[in-house]
């Protein structure tokens, strides 16, 4: 049955309360009920729009999800822009101010530093270059049509008529939105790439750790990928030494739709250029090649700071170890981490447990005989959801109007990002490729050192306009490697007078500067790829589209109505000099650290109809250790992916078949791999205190499922958090610990025994500096793997928590202390009675408006925020409701949507969004999907014209 709307009378009562709240907030400003409802979109009747060539119909179901029908691509994308603006213009407006480094124009001087950092990165400038020099004429036409649709809506409305947020903003500012442009849409891809940029945070954290940890200790905390336990995505393929083409393992001979062969290789360079090329070894029915060869050269590089034997004019360069990183480097990187932390994480918090799930099962293993595809990207919770569900349908599919597609879109950007068309379906997870490198730069006032000589900076002036204040001017400096990002942190202005190396630049008083090399700062064709994927009808067309998907690098899973399944790793991924893997900041003055090239697209891993009959991507290693091109050293560690592999194998064992219900239930699997490992050790601890032992007994017979109502899950996760804090967290440098949490520790520079000459203990008080969402240890699968390696060794050095000379502790001491600490922590949070404990009471989701829902007066936040919601799931779990173990239990990332696509009958597919279609607070579809999402339920996803018509509640006709 269609979801029920809240009765109109009840909604009017809620709005009346809002009017009273706003009167208090505005110091007497009066809003009527009509003010609150003014932005609700027209969803029925007729609207005239300039520029349309024919009528367009927008059919919405009970959840407000629109399906758009048009006769031309221009009309289709014009209508998409109009509808996005109807429901989400505030979100779109904030996004373009973010990507342009212009948040201060809306929200005042508090955003100046964030704007300065974003201007330094130059997202908007790169987007402009992409639009002018890279994108196809067809893509530009779609972007122009979309912009015209947005602007048609802006012509009709202003202020509170656009969104309630503008009415609130109008209490303190006279801000008015400007017209939408195509570059506003393209720039959003840069924000997407930033939040999915790979190992940049790990690179910073490793360097910061060296102030307190040895090289060996840092290496312990970044263990190698456990290939023996957790399978990579692609198994058994190789790169041909002569052609440099990736050749997958032999594919399945007989597919559900007949004999399936491998399509030809889609060649080309890392950025999609090149000609020629030959197809990969094919099979019966394979598709021809779309060729291209050659690697792209580049500048930049990576490598660790330190070593010996530098080039002329340098000291201490080479591939050395981390131990040479100086206090000045520490301060520079800490300041950079602070600046990064201030940038809104529109897609997700970074961390070792963040990721996404997607898998596809071939028809030989399903109840329908055709493939099924599941996807749930794990991103930051926000209100409204990052995603907007939508269908885009050419009434007659043709070369001129090739789109019949539905799925998840980004408001502010045309096309469908994840979903299916009439022939194929696809899903995304983050590849995690290392596409960023930090460089230490020796600088003077106007130059930087490179290859033994001083080179002038490339500079540009930027003006930041500030609502209610004076404009600010900044100078952005760039080297061959990229922009100087360390200029954007106040902490870096007075780092120190002594440079960290012997031949520092003579006029520099602050040690090293830090620059950033990042693939997303080079113009690319990702926007072309979106439309090509929307129109693709087979795997060859899909791979041709993937060739243009430069940033962010994603794992792409594929299925089609003929019964084929596939995988492609796309993206512009750098090839570094031999011996330098991008794990550490590199000496920017040494040319041997420049990037050598990009991995050719034809060499990137892919699969087509693998013999096992399914493909799982959940941020684990893509390939085995024999792959010749290093993609990254910082994969996810495969706890989620292997759980999904195991679930699929258990379902298909002895000829079993997987149903749509099975696919859905796997998405909400709450099983904790960490608990399976740790609980047997915890139960062996001889706890003398009955008060603590009662809590320990919760773990007896627990099935390791982290359901919201589970007391055992609550206690285990509290124990896990305390184990991490005792064994690792208290040993982290202050730059990685939670802001405001203070410890008495040995001095960071203590290299000799601490003498007791003054009768004291020689300890100093240090307080953490990082937000709780970003602090370490975050408890993700990297920490699971770290504990997995040391757990059998009861005397491993990490179990020692003593600061006294000659006194050490062991594993069981730490586990016993964690059991006790967790008991008292949960007593304070949940009460003495353990029978009332539940994981959901600790692990709660707050849905917050990304602007006025944070930092605004409490009454304003109540207007726009919703929750809390008690959730199951957790870290490194398929149902990945993530939390940061250093910062607490609150949910910091979630499955931002869930979908299961049925390739036998698209009308039997299912989907759900985190919130709802509307971005308007108090609209009936603002959070109408959230309760179902919490319960793991999915909505019917109708696709064919007839099925859509059956569920249509409102039809809006757009006329010329």
């Amino acid at each position: 049955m269609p979801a029920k709307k809240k009765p109109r009378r009840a909604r009017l009562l809620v709005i009346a309360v809002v009017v009273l709240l706003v009167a208090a907030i505005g110091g007497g400003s009066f809003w009527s009920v009509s003010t609150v409802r003014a932005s609700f979109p027209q969803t029925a009747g007729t609207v005239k729009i300039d520029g349309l060539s024919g009528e367009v119909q927008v059919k919405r179901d009970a959840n407000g999800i629109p399906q758009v029908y048009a006769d031309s691509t221009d009309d289709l994308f014009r209508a998409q822009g109009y509808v996005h603006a109807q429901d989400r213009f505030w979100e779109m407006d904030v996004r373009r101010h973010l990507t342009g480094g212009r948040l201060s124009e809306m929200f005042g001087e508090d955003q100046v530093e964030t704007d300065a950092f974003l201007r330094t990165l130059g997202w908007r400038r790169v987007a402009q270059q992409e639009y002018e020099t890279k994108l196809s004429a067809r893509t530009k036409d779609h972007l122009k049509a979309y912009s015209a649709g947005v602007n048609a809506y802006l012509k009709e409305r202003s202020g509170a008529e656009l969104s309630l947020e503008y009415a609130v903003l109008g209490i303190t500012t006279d801000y008015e939105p400007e017209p939408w442009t195509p570059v506003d849409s393209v720039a959003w891809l840069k924000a997407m790439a930033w939040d999915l940029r790979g190992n940049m945070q790990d690179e910073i954290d490793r360097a910061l750790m060296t102030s307190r940890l040895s090289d060996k200790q840092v290496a312990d905390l970044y263990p190698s990928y456990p290939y023996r336990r957790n399978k990579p995505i692609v198994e058994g393929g190789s790169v041909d030494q002569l052609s440099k083409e990736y050749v997958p393992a032999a594919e399945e001979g007989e597919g559900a739709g007949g004999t399936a062969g491998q399509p030809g290789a889609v060649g080309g360079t890392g950025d999609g250029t090149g000609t020629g090329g030959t197809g990969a070894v094919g099979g019966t029915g394979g598709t021809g090649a779309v060729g291209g060869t050659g690697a792209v050269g580049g500048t930049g590089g990576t490598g660790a700071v330190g070593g010996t034997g530098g080039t002329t004019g340098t000291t201490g360069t080479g591939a050395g170890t981390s131990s040479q990183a100086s206090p000045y480097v520490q301060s520079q990187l800490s300041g950079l981490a602070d600046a990064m932390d201030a940038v809104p994480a529109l897609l997700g918090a970074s961390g070792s447990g963040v990721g996404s799930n997607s898998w596809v099962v071939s028809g030989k293993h399903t109840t329908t005989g055709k493939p099924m595809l599941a996807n749930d990207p794990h991103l930051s919770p926000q209100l409204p959801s990052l995603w907007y569900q939508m269908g885009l349908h050419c009434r007659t599919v043709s070369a001129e109007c090739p789109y019949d597609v539905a799925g998840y879109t980004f408001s502010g950007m045309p096309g469908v990002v994840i979903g299916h068309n009439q022939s194929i379906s696809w899903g995304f997870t983050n590849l995690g490729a290392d596409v960023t490198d930090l460089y230490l730069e020796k600088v003077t006032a106007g130059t930087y050192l490179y290859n033994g000589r001083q080179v002038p900076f490339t500079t540009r002036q930027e003006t930041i306009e500030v609502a209610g204040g004076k404009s600010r001017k900044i100078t952005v400096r760039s080297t061959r490697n990229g922009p100087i990002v360390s200029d954007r942190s106040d902490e870096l202005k007075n780092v120190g007078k002594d440079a960290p190396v012997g031949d520092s630049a003579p006029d520099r008083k602050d040690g090293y500067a830090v620059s950033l090399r990042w693939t997303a700062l080079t113009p690319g064709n990702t926007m072309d790829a979106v439309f090509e994927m929307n129109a693709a009808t087979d795997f060859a067309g899909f791979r041709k589209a993937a060739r243009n998907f430069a940033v962010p690098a994603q794992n792409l899973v594929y299925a089609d109505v003929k019964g084929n399944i596939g995988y492609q790793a796309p993206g512009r991924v750098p090839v570094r000099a031999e011996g330098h893997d991008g794990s550490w900041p590199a000496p920017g003055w040494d040319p041997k650290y420049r990037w050598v090239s990009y991995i050719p697209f034809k060499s990137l891993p892919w699969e087509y109809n693998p013999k096992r009959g399914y493909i799982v991507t959940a941020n684990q290693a893509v390939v085995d250790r024999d792959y010749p091109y290093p993609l990254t050293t910082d994969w996810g560690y495969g706890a989620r992916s292997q759980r999904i592999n195991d679930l699929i194998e258990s379902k298909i064992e002895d000829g079993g078949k997987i149903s749509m219900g099975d696919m859905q239930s796997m998405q909400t699997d709450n099983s904790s791999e960490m608990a399976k490992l740790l609980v047997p050790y915890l139960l062996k601890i001889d706890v003398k205190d009955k008060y603590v032992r009662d809590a320990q007994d919760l773990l007896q017979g627990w099935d390791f499922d982290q359901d919201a109502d589970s007391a055992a899950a609550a206690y285990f996760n509290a124990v896990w958090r305390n184990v991490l804090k005792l064994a690792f967290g208290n040993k982290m440098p202050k730059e990685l610990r939670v802001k405001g949490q203070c410890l008495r520790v040995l001095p960071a520079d203590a290299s000799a025994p601490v003498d007791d000459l003054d009768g004291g203990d020689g300890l100093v008080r240090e307080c953490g500096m990082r937000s709780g969402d970003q602090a370490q240890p975050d408890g993700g699968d990297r920490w699971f793997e770290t504990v997995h390696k040391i757990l059998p060794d009861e005397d491993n050095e990490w179990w020692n928590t003593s600061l006294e000379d000659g006194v050490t502790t062991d594993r069981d001491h730490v586990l016993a202390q964690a059991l006790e600490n967790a008991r008292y922590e949960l007593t304070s949070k949940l009460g003495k009675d353990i029978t009332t404990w539940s994981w959901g009471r600790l692990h709660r989701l707050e849905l917050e408006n990304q602007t006025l829902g944070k930092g605004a007066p409490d009454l304003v936040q109540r207007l726009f925020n919703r929750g809390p919601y008690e959730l199951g799931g957790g870290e490194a779990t398929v149902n990945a409701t993530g939390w940061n173990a250093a910062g607490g239990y609150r949910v910091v990332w979630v499955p931002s949507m869930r979908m299961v696509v049925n390739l036998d009958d698209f009308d039997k597919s299912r989907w759900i969004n985190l919130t709802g279609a509307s971005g308007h607070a108090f609209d009936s579809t603002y959070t109408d999907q959230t309760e179902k999402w919490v319960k793991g339920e999915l909505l019917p996803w109708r696709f064919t014209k007839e099925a859509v018509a059956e569920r249509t509640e409102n039809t809006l006709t757009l006329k010329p």
Side-chain angles (χ1 to χ4, degrees):
M1 293 290 291
K4 294 182 179 179
K5 294 182 179 179
K6 183 183 291 185
R8 184 174 182 271
R9 192 174 200 176
R11 283 187 279 129
L12 287 175
L13 287 173
V14 172
I15 292 171
V17 173
V18 172
V19 171
L20 295 175
L21 286 174
V22 173
I25 297 165
S29 299
F30 178 73
W31 288 2
S32 66
V33 171
S34 62
T35 304
V36 179
R37 302 183 64 197
S39 61
F40 292 5
Q42 179 180 343
T43 59
T46 301
V47 174
K48 291 186 176 181
I49 295 181
D50 291 340
L52 286 177
S53 61
E55 286 192 3
V56 177
Q57 286 189 320
V58 181
K59 296 178 177 290
R60 293 179 184 256
D61 64 12
N63 299 101
I65 299 170
Q67 303 288 335
V68 181
Y69 295 87
D71 292 320
S72 70
T73 56
D74 187 87
D75 286 355
L76 189 66
F77 293 114
R78 193 175 297 256
Q80 185 182 20
Y82 186 89
V83 172
H84 272 169
Q86 279 188 306
D87 281 330
R88 299 286 190 92
F89 184 73
W90 169 263
E91 178 185 42
M92 294 164 60
D93 202 14
V94 171
R95 284 179 178 177
R96 66 168 165 180
H97 280 78
L98 171 76
T99 58
R102 298 171 54 202
L103 291 171
S104 301
E105 295 179 17
M106 296 182 76
F107 305 110
E109 62 183 10
D110 287 348
Q111 299 299 319
V112 167
E113 289 187 6
T114 298
D115 283 347
F117 185 71
L118 293 167
R119 295 285 186 97
T120 299
L121 293 178
W123 294 351
R124 171 79 185 198
R125 294 178 71 253
V126 179
Q128 186 74 45
Q129 293 168 6
E130 286 185 355
Y131 182 76
E132 292 175 353
T133 67
K134 285 288 186 179
L135 300 182
S136 70
R138 186 172 198 168
T139 293
K140 289 182 181 179
D141 287 343
H142 295 346
L143 289 164
K144 290 174 185 176
Y146 180 89
S147 297
V150 175
N151 292 329
Y153 191 71
L154 294 184
K155 285 178 65 177
E156 298 175 2
R157 300 185 177 217
S158 62
E161 295 174 329
L162 287 170
S163 192
L164 180 60
E165 289 90 338
Y166 289 107
V168 176
L169 198 65
I171 295 173
T172 58
T173 171
D174 59 357
Y175 171 81
E176 292 184 4
E178 62 194 29
W180 194 265
T181 72
V183 178
D184 292 333
S185 297
V186 178
W188 172 240
L189 291 171
K190 301 305 168 187
M192 179 179 170
W194 175 255
D195 277 0
L196 301 174
R197 62 192 175 273
N199 78 334
M200 183 174 169
Q201 191 65 58
D202 287 324
E203 195 172 333
I204 292 172
D205 288 356
R206 267 190 285 257
L208 292 174
M209 286 177 185
T210 61
S211 67
R212 287 203 167 272
L213 304 178
S214 68
D215 291 348
K216 178 186 177 301
Q217 288 173 319
V218 174
D220 286 346
L221 302 185
Y222 289 87
S224 58
Y225 185 85
Y227 282 99
R228 291 186 178 180
R229 294 199 324 274
N230 299 339
K231 298 176 183 178
I233 296 172
V234 174
E235 300 178 62
S238 62
V239 175
D240 185 88
Q241 292 185 355
L242 294 178
S243 68
K244 302 300 180 185
E245 291 180 353
Y246 186 85
V247 180
E251 81 280 7
E252 180 118 50
E254 200 70 27
T259 302
Q262 293 179 356
V266 182
T269 63
D271 66 352
T273 63
T275 59
T278 58
V281 177
T284 305
T287 311
V290 182
T293 60
V296 179
T299 61
T302 188
V305 180
T308 59
T311 59
T312 302
T314 69
T315 298
T317 66
T321 65
S322 62
S323 59
Q324 291 83 9
S326 74
Y328 303 102
V329 176
Q330 303 286 329
S331 186
Q332 294 280 26
L333 294 174
S334 177
L336 175 57
D338 290 344
M340 289 167 52
D341 206 20
V343 177
L346 290 181
L347 297 187
S350 62
S352 62
V354 181
S356 303
N357 302 323
S358 190
W359 66 91
V360 60
V361 182
S362 76
K364 81 170 186 175
H365 295 313
T366 68
T367 56
T368 65
K370 289 289 179 70
M372 296 177 184
L373 186 151
N375 195 191
D376 55 289
H378 306 158
L379 306 171
S380 267
Q382 54 192 268
L383 182 60
S385 165
L386 179 83
W387 301 106
Y388 184 88
Q389 296 151 288
M390 197 174 207
L392 300 172
H393 308 276
C394 293
R395 290 192 179 98
T396 302
V397 175
S398 64
E400 292 73 28
C401 195
Y403 303 108
D404 187 14
V405 60
Y408 294 86
T409 71
F410 289 142
S411 59
M413 198 178 94
V416 170
V417 179
I418 294 174
H420 71 82
N421 62 26
Q422 74 278 17
S423 301
I424 73 169
S425 179
W426 64 93
F428 287 2
T429 63
N430 196 26
L431 180 68
D434 186 358
V435 296
T436 59
D437 278 328
L438 295 174
Y439 291 91
L440 305 181
E441 306 283 3
K442 298 178 181 180
V443 306
T444 67
T447 65
Y448 62 96
L449 185 68
Y450 180 75
N451 199 21
R453 64 187 182 90
Q454 296 296 323
V455 180
F457 285 109
T458 300
T459 63
R460 68 178 188 273
Q461 304 295 315
E462 297 271 357
T463 299
I464 300 173
E465 303 291 342
V466 182
K470 295 181 179 180
S471 61
R472 318 292 168 84
K473 295 185 182 296
I474 64 169
T475 298
V476 178
R477 305 185 297 172
S478 296
T479 72
R480 288 170 179 253
N481 297 317
I484 299 291
V485 288
S486 57
D487 283 346
R488 301 282 75 88
S489 171
D490 289 341
E491 180 185 4
L492 306 179
K493 294 178 181 177
N494 299 301
V495 172
K497 295 182 179 180
D498 299 321
V501 291
D503 66 340
S504 64
D507 298 329
R508 177 69 172 174
K509 303 302 182 185
D510 298 332
Y512 290 121
V514 181
S515 64
L516 170 66
R517 183 83 192 272
W518 178 32
T519 54
L521 298 184
T522 300
N525 297 77
T526 303
M527 198 71 239
D528 286 338
V530 172
F531 296 117
E532 290 169 350
M533 202 165 291
N534 285 191
T537 58
D538 57 23
F539 193 52
F542 179 76
R543 294 190 67 217
K544 183 179 178 181
R547 180 182 61 187
N548 283 327
F549 207 103
V551 292
Q554 297 288 287
N555 295 306
L556 306 181
V557 295
Y558 167 94
D560 64 38
V561 295
K562 294 182 179 179
N564 302 303
I565 65 173
Y567 164 82
Q568 176 67 59
R572 184 188 292 122
V573 183
V575 176
R576 297 169 172 86
E578 187 175 352
H580 310 306
D581 62 8
S583 298
W584 301 89
W589 54 87
D590 190 340
K592 70 182 181 182
Y593 288 88
R594 299 172 66 191
W595 289 355
V596 176
S597 62
Y598 296 117
I599 300 176
F601 181 81
K602 65 179 180 180
S603 302
L604 289 169
W606 59 282
E607 276 192 322
Y608 189 61
N609 294 326
K611 283 187 175 181
R612 63 185 176 278
Y614 62 88
I615 301 169
V616 174
T617 76
N619 315 108
Q620 76 271 39
V622 173
V623 287
D624 59 29
R625 285 169 285 201
D626 295 329
Y627 184 70
Y629 299 98
L631 291 170
T632 185
T633 59
D634 294 302
W635 304 112
Y637 285 83
R640 279 182 294 109
S641 63
Q642 194 55 46
R643 173 63 178 170
I644 297 169
N645 274 302
D646 292 344
L647 288 171
I648 293 174
E649 286 290 343
S650 69
K651 292 289 184 182
I652 65 177
E653 188 178 11
D654 299 326
K657 303 293 184 180
I658 292 177
S659 68
M660 288 288 290
D662 293 331
M663 296 285 280
Q664 181 175 340
S665 66
M666 281 190 275
Q667 289 183 321
T668 54
D669 179 77
N670 287 329
S671 180
S672 170
E673 300 304 299
M674 297 172 187
K676 293 174 187 176
L677 172 71
L678 192 56
V679 165
Y681 288 88
L682 295 173
L683 291 176
K684 291 179 181 178
I685 301 300
D686 184 14
V687 177
K688 305 297 185 185
D689 185 340
K690 183 180 184 302
Y691 191 66
V692 178
R693 192 167 63 250
D694 287 344
Q696 183 191 34
D697 288 343
L698 289 172
L699 304 178
Q700 294 279 3
W702 179 39
D703 61 4
F704 310 119
D705 280 350
Q706 300 174 100
D707 297 332
D709 61 358
S710 170
Y715 184 56
F716 170 77
N717 281 308
V719 174
W720 170 244
R721 179 176 185 240
N722 280 278
V723 167
L724 293 174
K725 181 179 180 181
L726 292 166
F728 308 105
N730 292 344
K731 301 166 188 175
M732 292 288 109
K734 63 182 182 295
E735 293 87 357
L736 271 66
R737 297 202 310 270
V738 176
K739 187 179 297 184
Q741 291 185 1
C742 302
L743 299 172
R744 289 187 59 78
V745 295
L746 291 169
D749 57 354
S751 57
V754 178
D755 295 323
D756 183 17
L757 299 180
D758 59 0
D761 57 12
L763 304 180
V764 296
R765 187 172 186 265
E766 275 192 355
C767 296
M769 300 171 60
R770 186 169 284 186
S771 73
D773 292 355
Q774 302 289 340
Q776 295 294 338
D778 61 25
D781 63 354
R782 174 165 65 85
W783 294 100
F784 168 50
E785 188 61 26
T786 299
V787 172
H788 190 283
K789 286 183 177 296
I790 70 170
L791 199 55
D793 181 6
E794 60 184 338
D795 295 317
N796 188 281
E797 65 171 324
W798 287 106
W799 299 123
N800 180 27
T801 61
S802 174
L803 297 177
E804 297 182 41
D805 289 338
V807 178
T808 61
T809 61
D810 61 10
R811 177 196 65 206
D812 289 355
H813 172 87
V814 170
L815 298 185
Q817 188 65 56
L819 286 164
E820 180 180 342
N821 291 357
R823 173 39 155 144
Y824 285 99
E825 180 187 358
L826 293 200
T827 296
S828 68
K829 293 180 181 296
L830 302 179
K832 291 183 180 180
D833 185 356
I834 61 175
T835 64
T836 67
W837 290 0
S838 70
W839 176 223
R841 288 177 62 197
L842 282 177
H843 191 52
R844 304 201 303 175
L845 169 66
E846 297 273 2
L847 289 174
E848 297 177 328
N849 181 288
Q850 292 296 286
T851 51
L852 301 183
K854 297 182 177 182
D858 184 61
L859 287 175
V860 174
Q861 293 185 43
R862 292 183 197 177
L863 295 179
F864 299 104
N865 296 346
R866 300 292 183 269
Y869 302 90
E870 297 184 357
L871 301 186
E875 279 285 352
T877 302
V878 180
N879 185 20
T881 55
W883 54 287
N884 185 300
Y889 303 99
R890 77 180 189 91
V891 177
V892 296
W893 63 85
V894 294
S896 56
M897 62 81 160
R898 297 185 182 106
M899 75 174 192
V900 180
V901 180
N902 185 326
L903 275 296
D904 180 59
D905 184 349
F906 285 128
D907 289 333
K908 293 181 180 178
S909 300
R910 304 172 189 172
W911 60 352
I912 199 77
N913 206 348
L914 174 63
T915 60
S918 180
H920 302 297
F922 309 106
D923 185 276
S924 63
T925 63
Y926 188 49
T927 55
D928 64 315
Q929 298 185 48
T930 303
E931 289 290 350
K932 289 182 178 294
W933 177 93
V934 169
K935 297 174 184 177
E937 298 175 7
L938 302 178
L939 295 172
W941 180 359
R942 303 299 189 243
F943 178 70
T944 63
K945 188 174 182 179
E946 296 76 18
V948 167
E950 287 179 6
R951 295 185 65 84
T952 295
E953 295 256 332
N954 293 291
T955 300
L956 176 67
T957 301
L958 307 179
K959 290 187 174 183

